[in-house]
Amino acid sequence: MKTNNEHIFDLCNQLVAAVRADVKQDLYQRFKAEFDFQTGMHGEPLQPVRRRGERGTDKRPFRPNSSLARVYRTLAARKHGINIKTLARESGLSIRGVSNAVHRLRQHGYKIVVNRAGYQRPKYRLAS
């Protein structure tokens, strides 16, 4: 007796699965049609969000806490020139590291002017 009812039970299960899939697809289509666009609190359409990689090139070619950034911030904070020892002390780098950072900043297009007046140490500053 079970063998006669098994094929009917399988057919019913297949029919229920097909109806559920159809209902699920219908609900998905209705939901997508109703909520496909995004609005703000007051119903205005939102501007598309720009993802992190789509924002284009960065204005500065170095990371915020890198040695280049520290030397750049030290130079940008003053209008007058700074000698290399002061730059090294304030940026936390060695004198050699500061000279390398100045060289790399120049390679990135920053204009760094050196004043070598008299017998004093050369003074570095950003050209405005």
Side-chain angles (χ1 to χ4, degrees):
M1 214 86 171
K2 287 186 177 181
T3 56
N4 291 341
N5 292 338
E6 283 183 14
H7 70 285
I8 295 172
F9 185 70
D10 289 339
L11 283 174
C12 287
N13 283 340
Q14 289 174 3
L15 181 65
V16 167
V19 168
R20 282 185 181 162
D22 189 36
V23 168
K24 190 177 187 180
Q25 184 67 24
D26 183 44
L27 286 174
Y28 176 73
Q29 291 296 332
R30 277 200 274 163
F31 181 81
K32 188 173 181 185
E34 189 173 342
F35 296 107
D36 196 24
F37 60 93
Q38 293 182 346
T39 61
M41 276 178 60
H42 307 291
E44 74 277 4
L46 294 178
Q47 299 297 325
V49 178
R50 297 183 73 187
R51 301 284 177 224
R52 186 175 193 146
E54 299 172 358
R55 74 173 179 240
T57 57
D58 287 335
K59 299 211 184 331
R60 294 200 180 101
F62 44 81
R63 294 179 184 257
N65 289 328
S66 65
S67 58
L68 284 178
R70 287 185 281 173
V71 171
Y72 175 77
R73 278 195 307 266
T74 307
L75 286 170
R78 301 185 186 208
K79 293 182 179 179
H80 57 279
I82 312 169
N83 70 31
I84 200 160
K85 285 191 174 186
T86 307
L87 264 173
R89 184 177 64 244
E90 290 189 7
S91 63
L93 300 173
S94 65
I95 293 174
R96 180 72 181 161
V98 169
S99 63
N100 285 339
V102 168
H103 177 69
R104 286 194 312 215
L105 284 171
R106 284 180 174 150
Q107 283 180 335
H108 287 303
Y110 290 95
K111 301 231 183 292
I112 299 176
V113 179
V114 182
N115 184 9
R116 300 179 188 272
Y119 291 106
Q120 300 174 350
R121 288 194 179 97
K123 305 282 195 283
Y124 294 88
R125 70 178 176 85
L126 285 174
S128 51

